[in-house]
Amino acid sequence: GLEEFVVENEATREVARSLAEGHNAYLSWAGAHSKVVEDAEVRVVMVVQPGERNRFDQDVIRDELFAAYRIPCERMSLAEIGALSRRPSDLTTPLTIQRRNDAGETVDAFVASVVYFRAGYTPADFPTEREWEARETIERSAAIKCPSVAYQLVGAKKIQQVLCRPGELERFFKRDSKTVARMRATFAPQLGLEKGEDGDAAVRTALENPDDWVLKPQREGGGNNLYREEMVAKLGQIGKSQEREAYVLMKRINPVESKVVLVRDGKFQIGSTVSELGLFGTILADGVDELVNSNAGHLLRTKLASQDDGGVAAGVALLDSPWLV
């Protein structure tokens, strides 16, 4: 049957399982360090955008977490967390959320075991100081962060570019040249745009071959990269200013194209497409030891080959399934 060619995707179950492991690790830590808050339930907090449109996959994770592990999950915006919590005194202070009625009486109180960020990855998620204060409050607390500020920054485009430089991977994989070679073989060449001769040379390379390079800002979520004429215009606009350092150049990847049938809004379209496969992973560590490090499913997005950039939420790409051959 067809099912033997389609890869089963365990993303929902695996993400929920990992959140449960984080929750239980927090409970063990709190009990061992006398950090249990009396009369307060312990819940996972999922940080979301106000008026979130993309909530359906969030809800299935929340529902799986409760159905499989009986762990409640609270969906909250950064503004709500900022309004309902107090800044912890140190990293051993539980993150406590309190809701009060108009009379000032507490009607609900709970401690956050894990704070799972499904928002907070774009400047638009921080319109006021309250959101920034909420992010700091979470980071200063004893709650397990997914991700922490440091881990989030590691995913920045600049870090990806720096890891492409000779000698950088070797710092983390000493005496393991085979692993370094295998990892580096998967990297697309990337160039920094710092002030100086190297940055100037990188710009010249892109301007001489605009079809071969992509200009990337420090953003996530799709729709931010610049190609061809837009890339040339932006490089001309920023010149040698400090703003240039906020971007990196990446050699454009030219994947294999496939002719498929796309369905959107009840209408089909046949076209040449490219696909991007993302593999989910989960890791739980205490600063010294890895407690969990496992695969957690996948996401395959397919879009017309004529589209340069943009994801599913932007209305450009569609969800797809890998077909084993």
Side-chain angles (χ1 to χ4, degrees), residues 31-301:
H33 294 81
S34 302
K35 295 294 180 179
V36 177
V37 178
E38 296 295 332
D39 302 322
E41 188 177 24
V42 182
R43 305 173 191 169
V44 169
V45 171
M46 184 184 296
V47 179
V48 300
Q49 294 175 327
E52 176 71 74
R53 293 184 304 139
N54 184 35
R55 68 172 291 169
F56 296 103
D57 65 314
Q58 300 172 2
D59 284 347
V60 295
I61 292 173
R62 180 191 62 182
D63 294 346
E64 175 71 14
L65 188 60
F66 190 77
Y69 305 100
R70 314 309 294 176
I71 299 173
C73 178
E74 195 85 15
R75 300 176 77 256
M76 301 181 71
S77 68
L78 284 169
E80 289 176 300
I81 295 173
L84 301 176
S85 63
R86 291 183 179 180
R87 183 174 298 185
S89 57
D90 56 48
L91 289 172
T92 67
T93 304
L95 177 59
T96 303
I97 308 292
Q98 288 186 315
R99 292 190 173 98
R100 294 182 172 86
N101 59 20
D102 293 338
E105 301 167 326
T106 299
V107 295
D108 183 32
F110 63 90
V111 170
S113 57
V114 179
V115 181
Y116 173 38
F117 285 90
R118 294 299 298 263
Y121 298 96
T122 170
D125 289 338
F126 297 88
T128 71
E129 281 300 311
R130 171 163 283 178
E131 284 79 12
W132 286 111
E133 290 169 359
R135 188 66 176 95
E136 183 178 2
T137 293
I138 295 166
E139 197 67 20
R140 287 175 174 269
S141 75
I144 295 174
K145 299 90 181 173
C146 180
S148 65
V149 166
Y151 202 80
Q152 184 174 342
L153 290 175
V154 165
K157 301 292 190 294
K158 186 61 186 176
I159 300 299
Q160 297 173 17
Q161 179 261 310
V162 169
L163 288 174
C164 287
R165 297 191 308 210
E168 293 296 337
L169 284 179
E170 287 81 355
R171 295 171 53 202
F172 306 100
F173 296 92
K174 295 180 176 64
R175 297 181 297 279
D176 195 353
S177 58
K178 289 185 178 180
T179 295
V180 169
R182 288 174 60 198
M183 294 177 67
R184 188 161 281 136
T186 69
F187 290 3
Q190 296 190 51
L191 305 174
L193 298 179
E194 290 81 8
K195 288 184 178 181
E197 181 146 346
D198 288 346
D200 294 344
V203 170
R204 286 195 299 271
T205 297
L207 294 178
E208 291 168 1
N209 306 277
D211 290 337
D212 296 339
W213 294 88
V214 182
L215 187 64
K216 292 189 168 189
Q218 308 302 312
R219 295 287 183 272
E220 296 296 335
N224 299 299
N225 298 336
L226 299 175
Y227 300 79
R228 302 186 185 90
E229 293 84 0
E230 288 185 327
M231 178 188 71
V232 171
K234 174 58 75 172
L235 288 173
Q237 174 194 335
I238 60 180
K240 296 185 178 182
S241 68
Q242 189 173 4
E243 183 185 352
R244 191 175 80 175
E245 300 182 27
Y247 295 84
V248 299
L249 282 166
M250 187 189 84
K251 194 75 176 290
R252 186 160 187 178
I253 300 171
N254 295 302
V256 175
E257 297 182 11
S258 303
K259 185 168 285 189
V260 302
V261 178
L262 306 173
V263 180
R264 180 186 286 122
D265 297 330
K267 300 176 182 178
F268 76 90
Q269 177 183 8
I270 300 175
S272 184
T273 65
V274 294
S275 298
E276 179 182 346
L277 177 65
L279 302 177
F280 297 126
T282 60
I283 184 167
L284 174 64
D286 60 10
V288 178
D289 298 317
E290 287 183 6
L291 308 178
V292 177
N293 190 346
S294 62
N295 298 322
H298 61 268
L299 174 69
L300 184 68
R301 297 179 293 188

